[in-house]
Amino acid sequence: AVFPDDVKEEVKSINMEVLPEEMEGRRDLRDMEIFTIDGADTKDIDDAISIEKFANGRYKLGVHIADVSYYVREGSFLDQEAYNRGTSVYLLDRVIPMLPYKLSNDLCSLNPDEDKLVISCIMEIDNLGNVIDSSLNEGVIKTVKRLNYRDCNLVLENGVSLKPDYQEVYPYLVLMKELAEKLYEKKHKRGALDFDIPEIKVNLDDLGKAVAVEKIERGISEHIIEEFMIVANETVAEFIENMELPFIYRVHDEPDGLKF
């Protein structure tokens, strides 16, 4: 990906490690067991999960999102370039990024055993999937392990015998599955629609020519992350609304009843 020279120069001035002064005023969450779950070939890891269960049956769910805005300052060359690009573009065999790889794949990617700046949404959720309490924090985390969907699905379906390196994280995965099922059940009781539309992957040869099309199978862990992102988004939206802060929402039209 080619970026203008002024953007490249601006990126060079950014520290590649989180400095102590950059952590000031942030909630230190580095002692928490925080994991990432993504595709095996994902380069830009922008969200992480933490979970625990209290004796009273409630869950403490943390959704931690990379704090890209800390590095992309309003009005900077990086900000202007990202505004012009609008979004990263995902092609069959490559990505045209909105931000330089130094940020998207390195500094803002929640790689294991590295201090990272995040925005954390931490929720206390009851046994019925209701968010009882929540907090939003600028934080700093250090993820303990990078997990991938394929192996998480394998472990959740068959146990850890085929993936012994998942032994320590297995109890957390079981808790995630347990909570995700409660969130899913609550969502559908209130009338949510389930758009489980199949995804496809186009395989290319060395010359970039399409040679095969295959269906991407979605397993348990993909649904877990989906449910956690939905409840985090709803919690943040409620917080913004209660604070009467300006915010952009995506509003969908009412569904056509004739199509059901």
Side-chain angles (χ1 to χ4, degrees):
V2 178
F3 285 86
D5 290 339
D6 49 12
V7 173
K8 294 178 182 178
E9 288 301 315
E10 198 167 71
V11 170
K12 287 180 181 179
S13 67
I14 299 176
N15 293 313
M16 289 307 295
E17 294 184 0
V18 177
L19 303 176
E21 54 265 30
E22 294 176 318
M23 301 182 195
E24 293 179 4
R26 289 180 173 266
R27 186 173 177 183
D28 192 342
L29 304 171
R30 288 174 295 175
D31 60 342
M32 295 179 66
E33 297 287 314
I34 300 178
F35 312 92
T36 61
I37 306 178
D38 291 276
D41 56 352
T42 300
K43 301 292 192 300
D44 51 339
I45 305 173
D46 56 10
D47 57 77
I49 301 295
S50 59
I51 192 169
E52 59 181 291
K53 189 173 184 179
F54 300 126
N56 63 5
R58 292 181 178 178
Y59 304 84
K60 180 181 179 182
L61 172 67
V63 175
H64 313 273
I65 307 296
D67 189 359
V68 181
S69 64
Y70 179 82
Y71 300 102
V72 183
R73 302 292 184 171
E74 184 176 0
S76 64
F77 292 123
L78 269 171
D79 182 42
Q80 294 172 36
E81 183 66 17
Y83 180 86
N84 291 333
R85 293 182 179 228
T87 182
S88 296
V89 179
Y90 293 84
L91 304 176
L92 293 178
D93 60 344
R94 72 198 68 185
V95 177
I96 302 174
M98 183 175 66
L99 297 172
Y101 290 124
K102 184 176 179 180
L103 267 71
S104 61
N105 291 10
D106 195 341
L107 187 58
C108 297
S109 188
L110 307 181
N111 305 316
D113 300 317
E114 297 178 4
D115 293 339
K116 297 292 181 178
L117 304 183
V118 295
I119 303 295
S120 295
C121 178
I122 300 177
M123 299 154 281
E124 184 175 340
I125 304 174
D126 69 14
N127 199 44
L128 298 176
N130 300 305
V131 178
I132 304 301
D133 193 16
S134 64
S135 65
L136 294 178
N137 307 277
E138 292 181 331
V140 55
I141 67 170
K142 181 183 287 186
T143 59
V144 298
K145 190 174 180 65
R146 175 180 177 175
L147 311 178
N148 67 72
Y149 290 127
R150 182 192 62 235
D151 291 342
C152 286
N153 292 336
L154 184 68
V155 166
L156 285 169
E157 292 169 2
N158 303 286
V160 295
S161 59
L162 299 177
K163 290 292 297 181
D165 57 316
Y166 272 51
Q167 183 72 50
E168 291 186 8
V169 304
Y170 181 67
Y172 296 99
L173 290 175
V174 171
L175 272 185
M176 290 181 191
K177 179 175 180 289
E178 186 180 296
L179 176 57
E181 289 173 345
K182 296 180 188 300
L183 293 171
Y184 180 86
E185 183 178 355
K186 176 179 181 289
K187 183 178 71 176
H188 280 265
K189 281 183 177 178
R190 73 185 189 198
L193 301 177
D194 191 355
F195 295 105
D196 197 4
I197 301 172
E199 294 184 55
I200 63 168
K201 178 182 179 181
V202 180
N203 296 323
L204 308 178
D205 63 16
D206 293 338
L207 299 177
K209 181 180 178 180
V211 293
V213 177
E214 61 178 296
K215 180 182 176 182
I216 299 176
E217 297 294 339
R218 280 166 47 85
I220 301 171
S221 62
E222 285 91 345
H223 287 290
I224 288 173
I225 297 302
E226 180 179 294
E227 294 301 325
F228 288 175
M229 293 304 154
I230 289 173
V231 72
N233 283 337
E234 291 175 342
T235 300
V236 171
E238 185 176 351
F239 174 85
I240 296 292
E241 184 175 7
N242 291 339
M243 294 289 289
E244 299 183 351
L245 299 173
F247 201 66
I248 297 175
Y249 297 89
R250 181 171 60 183
V251 180
H252 295 274
D253 291 334
E254 292 287 334
D256 186 347
L258 294 177
K259 295 182 179 180
F260 292 91

